[in-house]
Amino acid sequence: MKGFSQKLALAAFAVASLSTSAWARGYGAAGCGLGSMVFGSGNGIVQVLAATTNGSSGSQTFGITFGTSNCGGGGAAPTIKAFIEANREALANDIARGNGETLNGLTQLMGCTKPAQVGPMLQKSYKTIFPNTQVSASDIETSVTPIVKANCS
Amino acid sequence: MIVSLRGAQPGRASRLARLFFLFTLSLLPCAGFGQSAPPVPSEWLRLLHYQKSLTGAWINDAGPQFFITEAGSKNPQAELEASIAELKRPGSDFHCKFPARAILLYRRDRTLPIRTGSCPEWEGFRNRLNATGVSLVFSSYYLNNPASAFGHSFLRVHRGRRAGEAHKPAELLDTGIGYAATVTTSNAIAYAFYGIFGLFRGDYTALPYYYKVREYADAENRDLWSYELALSHSELELLVAHLWELDRAERRYYYFSKNCSYEILAILEAILDPERPESGLLARLPWFVIPSHTLQSLTQEPGLVRSIDYRPSLRKQLEARLSLLAPEQKKQAKNWKEIASAPELGARVLDARLDWIDFDHFEDLVREKPEISALKQQALAARAQTGVVLQEVLLPSDVGPDPSQGHPPRRVQLSLGKVTSGSSFAELAFRPALQDLLDPVAGYPDSARLEFTEAALRVSDRVRLQRFSLFRAQSLTPISLVRMDPSWKVGVLHELPQGSRIEASGGLTLPVFGARVFGLAGGRLGGGTLSSIRPAATLELGLHYRLGDRWALLASWLGLTSAQGWSEELQVSARLHLTRRVSIGAELRNGLAWQAQGFFYF
């Protein structure tokens, strides 16, 4: 961020002006996944500059108090589905490993504070929870919920 | 006053002086002219983010929604009086729109009526956040990622237990609150211009903390440092109410000065109890601000930081996992593209492999690129199949001290030396930020240079500008099993006797017995004058070595070929760090008999 990158921007402006038209890849308002929420749309030098200088370009933005969003904007606790969507890779890792911080977060959201009991059971069901790479967040929620409920007493 | 001006018989000079005096007076706020209004409480000025202009007037760029009077942005006194009147007015919703101001006013004057009228929106926000504490989070530098050159800072509001919950919620479920520019152009030139002159709007945003973790630690490989603040209950109450008020502010984002670091610190300063022994978070900042200033200002505030937490980046986590493996196992983890070998691998190897796939292809996975997703799925299924649940805590070995322990960013350098032609010189240099390859390493990346506008004046027979660099950056990340990071160097500078130049080169760095041996090939565009600008090709070989935190050595040879022929530049520099603020050094280079250096960081 900051001054350095500004100078970089000025110094590189000739190069930059040639390569700033790559805004075509739009992800728009496509759920709560990292793709739409963090990486945003577009790439190229402006997005690099935006990241460098703490600008947000193209990703969904939330005001500080905008709290009705299901993705957990405005300080709201996220829904289970939104949590799964945003943490999908880390959650798959934790379920395959049978424990981890993201698995703890999910079980807590589901009202269970005994992740050590639940983790190995989710690990055993990995192939049921993630039968293929396209499985949706809702499907993951549907298959995880009964396992958590059954093993949390 | 006009009369007095006429009445005098001034000469031209004194009349000009008088006019100037009157003009200056006219810039002062009205309160300066004899009306003896009570002084505005400093908490009020801080809570509303007022600032003094050069002429001493109050200024505020938070926009009309942030005030209840029209002159509010210039007149804190009038805004204060109107706010008190509003608080007293039955039926007013002032306390819903500006809960922090209402709290502050009530704390100062307990005779004011307490407004508890229903504010569903504000109360909803407060209940959603359910704040029990707050940390300032710094996402650290990783120079091979341009997004992290100077780091970033934001707040993490800790979420408390809800009724019936036995445990405090996981950190991932906390709320991250940041300040960023909202980019409205896709043109890089306009981007630079808008950013410098404050033409982008700055917005505060609140999102679950896991988005920040995934973005910074996983996608961008930046370590996250959390500085938990020891706020009192009343400070925390004021903070949450203040965040609500800030949603009304329309701020402009200035990359140099009013950026994420500055605004986050301004929020904290606004809510700190004035009874604290020292409250000078913003006063310690220079005119331009980078996150390391924020951290150092924060940790200098007595008793403000309760604890410091570290969250490793995906890269550090992968390196820690690999450190548990034998060489043969590392190879198995690395060859994650060979699907056939997966099932019989052990849990630790598969754990490293999973991190490795994430590290190499995080964005591809998020974008659901089919072949990468399939590879990952295959490794995940194999890992689940092992049925092994490991309980170990992963701790990267080379964490080092937290970034607030680093040397202060600004540096003054005094050098004495003699050129080979015989004359002695003294040189004074200043660099506002941040780090070169020989500066103290604690709290900074160990093999990176990132310097912004260094200037050096040399005094010998006369005074001349010896060196001025707009920026110089260099990364010498050694290649490793984890990744073949390229090394590179870029710079725009003016230096005697060669003149001005733009330089860029790239290559590789090898780790050799704890030292870094690097080779860089590239080009320079430069010349003594504008008409003599010429291209040249360069080849540079060098050695960079740090012995603990105290000693640093850099030796390099650079060959340069252009239409003028071949030339070589040799440089050997050594430095000894005496304290966090003081270093001494020596440097030898072409045309220089000797040079001794002293450095002071502040």
Side-chain angles (χ1 to χ4, degrees):
Chain A
M1 45 169 303
K2 315 294 125 30
F4 162 74
S5 45
Q6 271 326 109
K7 297 296 172 184
L8 187 68
L10 285 174
F13 75 92
V15 186
S17 56
L18 297 175
S19 56
T20 54
S21 54
W23 274 69
R25 289 163 70 195
Y27 285 82
C32 307
L34 289 180
S36 56
M37 297 289 291
V38 173
F39 294 123
S41 57
N43 49 27
I45 199 150
V46 164
Q47 199 179 41
V48 171
L49 288 173
T52 312
T53 52
N54 293 311
S56 56
S57 65
S59 56
Q60 293 184 19
T61 49
F62 287 82
I64 202 164
T65 58
F66 176 24
T68 52
S69 163
N70 291 330
C71 299
T79 63
I80 293 165
K81 180 166 166 277
F83 182 90
I84 294 172
E85 215 175 322
N87 294 283
R88 190 191 170 102
E89 292 305 319
L91 183 65
N93 290 345
D94 280 6
I95 291 179
R97 287 170 178 148
N99 63 2
E101 186 189 20
T102 310
L103 194 153
N104 294 356
L106 178 66
T107 49
Q108 276 202 8
L109 266 184
M110 292 179 161
C112 167
T113 51
K114 294 171 182 168
Q117 281 173 217
V118 173
M121 295 302 142
L122 291 173
Q123 186 190 40
K124 281 201 180 77
S125 313
Y126 179 86
K127 281 186 173 161
T128 321
I129 302 167
F130 295 96
N132 56 57
T133 55
Q134 280 96 46
V135 62
S136 72
S138 318
D139 290 345
I140 295 172
E141 182 182 352
T142 307
S143 45
V144 164
T145 306
I147 302 173
V148 172
K149 295 267 184 277
N151 294 284
C152 199
S153 51
Chain B
M1 288 183 191
I2 291 166
V3 174
S4 78
L5 193 65
R6 275 184 190 154
Q9 298 292 315
R12 197 168 161 230
S14 67
R15 199 156 97 196
L16 273 178
R18 228 174 251 263
L19 277 171
F20 179 74
F21 177 69
L22 285 175
F23 174 70
T24 312
L25 279 182
S26 72
L27 294 176
L28 293 171
C30 304
F33 288 106
Q35 299 168 16
S36 58
V40 185
S42 60
E43 302 110 282
W44 181 257
L45 297 171
R46 285 201 301 266
L47 190 66
L48 276 74
H49 297 241
Y50 284 106
Q51 289 193 304
K52 268 229 161 91
S53 74
L54 290 175
T55 59
W58 291 111
I59 47 171
N60 198 319
D61 68 350
Q65 297 287 313
F66 199 61
F67 305 97
I68 61 165
T69 62
E70 243 170 63
S73 67
K74 298 187 193 78
N75 192 339
Q77 178 75 44
E79 182 72 14
L80 174 66
E81 284 162 10
S83 299
I84 293 171
E86 265 300 291
L87 255 189
K88 289 177 177 165
R89 185 173 69 83
S92 158
D93 65 350
F94 179 82
H95 63 291
C96 298
K97 286 181 177 163
F98 300 103
R101 293 173 206 184
I103 291 168
L104 184 82
L105 293 174
Y106 179 70
R107 282 183 194 165
R108 288 183 57 84
D109 179 1
R110 299 280 171 171
T111 64
L112 289 171
I114 306 174
R115 296 284 168 210
T116 52
S118 62
C119 308
E121 289 176 349
W122 147 236
E123 283 157 16
F125 173 71
R126 192 180 57 195
N127 293 339
R128 284 196 304 274
L129 270 187
N130 193 12
T132 54
V134 67
S135 297
L136 186 139
V137 184
F138 172 67
S139 68
S140 63
Y141 334 91
Y142 172 50
L143 205 56
N144 269 5
N145 178 348
S148 64
F150 281 104
H152 178 42
S153 54
F154 56 95
L155 293 177
R156 171 165 67 83
V157 178
H158 307 184
R159 192 182 297 282
R161 261 182 306 187
R162 291 190 182 281
E165 284 178 352
H167 296 273
K168 191 203 167 302
E171 188 178 298
L172 287 178
L173 302 175
D174 287 347
T175 304
I177 291 183
Y179 179 71
T182 298
V183 177
T184 49
T185 174
S186 58
N187 180 303
I189 302 168
Y191 183 92
F193 184 82
Y194 285 20
I196 291 170
F197 295 105
L199 298 174
F200 287 132
R201 211 180 66 211
D203 285 309
Y204 300 96
T205 56
L207 274 182
Y209 184 56
Y210 55 70
Y211 280 116
K212 310 277 179 190
V213 171
R214 301 300 164 226
E215 179 178 7
Y216 296 123
D218 293 358
E220 298 183 350
N221 283 296
R222 303 157 72 165
D223 297 340
L224 293 175
W225 291 89
S226 267
Y227 298 79
E228 188 185 349
L229 306 180
L231 297 187
S232 67
H233 177 75
S234 65
E235 284 170 330
L236 188 63
E237 181 189 25
L238 197 60
L239 173 67
V240 173
H242 186 49
L243 291 175
W244 174 255
E245 291 181 357
L246 283 175
D247 205 38
R248 310 182 73 85
E250 295 166 28
R251 308 196 78 84
R252 291 190 288 162
Y253 198 97
Y254 296 86
Y255 291 132
F256 289 113
S257 50
K258 303 290 179 58
N259 49 36
C260 65
S261 308
Y262 180 91
E263 291 299 335
I264 294 295
L265 224 54
I267 292 177
L268 294 178
E269 177 148 291
I271 59 92
L272 285 188
D273 195 312
E275 300 300 313
R276 278 183 180 266
E278 193 184 345
S279 189
L281 284 175
L282 293 179
R284 289 192 203 96
L285 298 178
W287 69 268
F288 76 97
V289 194
I290 55 177
S292 56
H293 292 125
T294 323
L295 299 183
Q296 297 192 354
S297 182
L298 200 70
T299 47
Q300 281 170 36
E301 193 84 13
L304 183 55
V305 174
R306 177 179 290 147
S307 64
I308 301 175
D309 271 345
Y310 168 78
R311 177 188 286 273
S313 64
L314 184 56
R315 182 194 183 99
K316 287 272 170 61
Q317 185 183 310
L318 169 59
E319 286 169 349
R321 286 195 198 280
L322 287 173
S323 70
L324 301 172
L325 302 181
E328 184 55 31
Q329 293 176 309
K330 283 182 194 171
K331 232 180 260 172
Q332 291 172 333
K334 184 178 169 61
N335 293 331
W336 51 262
K337 284 181 181 157
E338 291 168 24
I339 291 177
S341 65
E344 71 276 16
L345 295 178
R348 283 202 176 82
V349 175
L350 284 164
D351 279 348
R353 178 184 293 219
L354 287 173
D355 280 0
W356 216 320
I357 299 172
D358 284 348
F359 177 68
D360 279 349
H361 289 287
F362 194 83
E363 193 166 346
D364 287 339
L365 287 166
V366 169
R367 307 280 197 206
E368 294 173 37
K369 204 173 171 185
E371 64 271 27
I372 303 295
S373 297
L375 276 171
K376 176 92 187 283
Q377 168 76 348
Q378 186 268 343
L380 282 164
R383 176 64 181 86
Q385 191 100 48
T386 64
V388 176
V389 180
L390 298 168
Q391 298 300 336
E392 62 215 5
V393 179
L394 278 173
L395 267 188
S397 54
D398 57 340
V399 175
D402 82 272
S404 76
Q405 305 297 311
H407 64 79
R410 289 174 289 180
R411 188 184 80 182
V412 168
Q413 174 186 349
L414 181 66
S415 310
L416 298 173
K418 194 172 177 182
V419 295
T420 40
S421 58
S423 60
S424 303
F425 66 84
E427 193 177 288
L428 182 68
F430 173 67
R431 184 196 68 189
L434 178 73
Q435 172 84 347
D436 71 17
L437 290 165
L438 299 167
D439 283 327
V441 66
Y444 286 92
D446 61 356
S447 51
R449 171 185 206 169
L450 185 61
E451 292 187 294
F452 170 61
T453 63
E454 192 207 16
L457 284 179
R458 185 178 283 196
V459 186
S460 51
D461 51 331
R462 62 195 177 89
V463 181
R464 52 173 84 91
L465 182 67
Q466 179 69 19
R467 193 168 66 249
F468 176 78
S469 70
L470 203 54
F471 74 91
R472 302 178 86 167
Q474 187 169 3
S475 175
L476 298 177
T477 309
I479 58 169
S480 69
L481 189 62
V482 170
R483 187 179 276 181
M484 290 274 284
D485 284 308
S487 291
W488 50 265
K489 177 177 170 178
V490 291
V492 178
L493 66 151
H494 173 82
E495 189 174 33
L496 293 178
Q498 297 99 326
S500 304
R501 66 174 190 260
I502 298 174
E503 62 183 19
S505 56
L508 284 178
T509 300
L510 300 171
V512 180
F513 299 114
R516 297 173 192 86
V517 176
F518 60 92
L520 301 169
R524 276 187 190 177
L525 198 61
T529 61
L530 204 60
S531 58
S532 65
I533 290 178
R534 283 182 187 86
T538 60
L539 177 68
E540 186 178 4
L541 299 172
L543 174 90
H544 178 235
Y545 183 60
R546 287 186 187 274
L547 181 62
D549 282 352
R550 295 240 152 211
W551 289 92
L553 175 81
L554 179 68
S556 67
W557 167 88
L558 184 139
L560 186 144
T561 178
S562 67
Q564 281 75 51
W566 172 261
S567 63
E568 296 177 27
E569 293 170 15
L570 266 174
Q571 183 188 342
V572 181
S573 315
R575 238 174 264 173
L576 171 63
H577 308 302
L578 301 174
T579 71
R580 188 171 149 262
R581 291 177 176 276
V582 179
S583 303
I584 53 173
E587 187 169 303
L588 289 176
R589 56 164 72 205
N590 296 47
L592 208 58
W594 59 271
Q595 181 176 215
Q597 304 159 313
F599 300 89
F600 180 69
Y601 302 88
F602 65 106

